[in-house]
Amino acid sequence: MITTPAAPMLPDYVNDLQTSVDHALAEDIGSGDVTARLVPANQLGTARVIAREDAIVCGRAWVDAVFQQVDPAVAVDWSVSDGDRVHSDQLLFRVHGPARALLTAERTALNFLQTLSGTATAVARYVDAVAGTGCSIVDTRKTLPGLRNAQKYAVRCGGGVNHRIGLYDGILIKENHIAAAGGIAAAIAAARALDAGVPLMTEAETLDEARAALGADVDLLLVDDFPLDQLREAVTLTRSHRASGGRTVIEYSGNTTLDNVRSIAETGVDRVSIGAITKHLSAVDLSMRFA
């Protein structure tokens, strides 16, 4: 039994939650939790989970699924929702039920919660850093294997925006595609010929490549590691293009940190994509203790 408050609805692309939970429990429990046998089978228990640092919460659905799979008799009583900002020593949830089940599910449930909350917290720091600029913080495909969809959801809980989910829902022409196709114009033409029905995005490493992408009115121009003066020029070109009826959105990518992200955002770019928010992960410190 899972109780209030209600968590946000998961996006449609989070369709592998149960599979992720199945795999995580299987690798941890294996043939059975031998240590939990120290506790009588009929003993009930109550435990509370708190945050040991300030964070953005994410992962309720995964926690619920873990406890429910281990034992449907476990009740989870949440005090927070995904996307909430919490503080050190704040109560996140209580669990009550068969003590063996609580002990068996503890680590897997907290692994999901600390990992996804860590992702959401990292995103929120970048979102806070660019507040007021109109710039969005965007994720990449640099996610933990097997947790792509979960981390994409965590990005949204932290106030960020999802890029394409995978290789299937957007064309992103990068430097190797450009080299293999014989140039950016040829790569864009080949992409148009596919008529794939997905957004067409292209990376540019020079202003000439940026001009070519704008001339083709791609959906998104991703300027890669431009110095700030060139980035401002690319922004000016993009705004002029849109003023003339174009649709291209401009995004910056490359060596972005909390120290420089605001300077990048203040150039006027629409978005900044940051691989570090999902790959350079610092899990949130959590604690579960029996009452």
Side-chain angles (χ1 to χ4, degrees):
M1 180 179 67
I2 310 302
T3 57
T4 56
M9 292 291 292
L10 296 178
D12 290 342
Y13 60 72
V14 184
N15 52 15
D16 59 350
L17 185 154
Q18 193 58 54
T19 300
S20 297
V21 168
D22 290 345
H23 289 168
L25 286 172
E27 71 181 2
D28 199 31
I29 298 173
S31 60
D33 182 355
V34 292
T35 312
R37 295 181 200 167
L38 299 173
V39 178
N42 61 351
Q43 182 173 323
L44 298 178
T46 298
R48 60 198 302 269
V49 173
I50 64 169
R52 291 201 174 274
E53 59 183 310
D54 294 354
I56 304 295
V57 175
C58 181
R60 274 188 45 158
W62 286 264
V63 170
D64 291 346
V66 168
F67 280 110
Q68 289 294 286
Q69 181 156 327
V70 172
D71 193 327
V74 172
V76 184
D77 184 11
W78 286 92
S79 298
V80 297
S81 289
D82 284 352
D84 284 356
R85 291 179 181 260
V86 298
H87 305 291
S88 179
D89 295 325
Q90 183 170 338
L91 176 68
L92 304 184
F93 65 91
R94 289 187 176 87
V95 283
H96 178 76
R100 284 188 180 182
L102 302 188
L103 292 166
T104 297
E106 173 187 357
R107 178 40 51 203
T108 300
L110 294 191
N111 280 350
F112 279 116
L113 188 61
Q114 70 186 20
T115 299
L116 299 182
S117 295
T119 301
T121 302
V123 174
R125 292 190 181 113
Y126 279 94
V127 170
D128 290 347
V130 302
T133 66
C135 179
S136 298
I137 300 299
V138 184
D139 58 27
T140 71
R141 287 169 45 243
K142 297 173 183 176
T143 53
L144 299 178
L147 284 180
R148 166 71 55 80
N149 295 336
Q151 282 196 290
K152 290 280 187 177
Y153 169 67
V155 167
R156 291 170 60 159
C157 287
V161 174
N162 293 147
H163 213 292
R164 56 180 179 163
I165 304 302
L167 295 172
Y168 56 89
D169 63 333
I171 296 173
L172 178 51
I173 300 169
K174 297 176 72 69
E175 68 275 9
N176 287 331
H177 301 102
I178 293 170
I184 191 168
I188 292 172
R192 293 269 192 230
L194 292 175
D195 194 22
V198 296
L200 174 55
M201 303 168 279
T202 186
E203 188 175 84
E205 294 185 317
T206 67
L207 283 170
D208 284 342
E209 287 186 342
R211 291 186 183 95
L214 291 170
D217 195 27
V218 297
D219 294 294
L220 182 138
L221 167 63
L222 194 160
V223 291
D224 183 38
D225 210 15
F226 275 31
L228 288 181
D229 57 342
Q230 291 186 19
L231 181 55
R232 292 187 190 95
E233 188 171 350
V235 168
T236 298
L237 291 171
T238 303
R239 288 181 173 176
S240 176
H241 172 69
R242 289 208 295 252
S244 300
R247 62 184 172 186
T248 306
V249 170
I250 184 168
E251 176 179 308
Y252 174 86
S253 177
N255 298 312
T256 304
T257 67
L258 282 171
D259 291 331
N260 66 16
V261 68
R262 187 165 187 92
S263 296
I264 293 167
E266 287 174 343
T267 65
V269 291
D270 299 304
R271 305 162 26 138
V272 178
S273 54
I274 306 171
I277 57 178
T278 51
K279 69 170 182 169
H280 295 165
L281 183 64
S282 178
V284 170
D285 192 9
L286 307 173
S287 176
M288 177 171 155
R289 291 288 184 269
F290 273 65

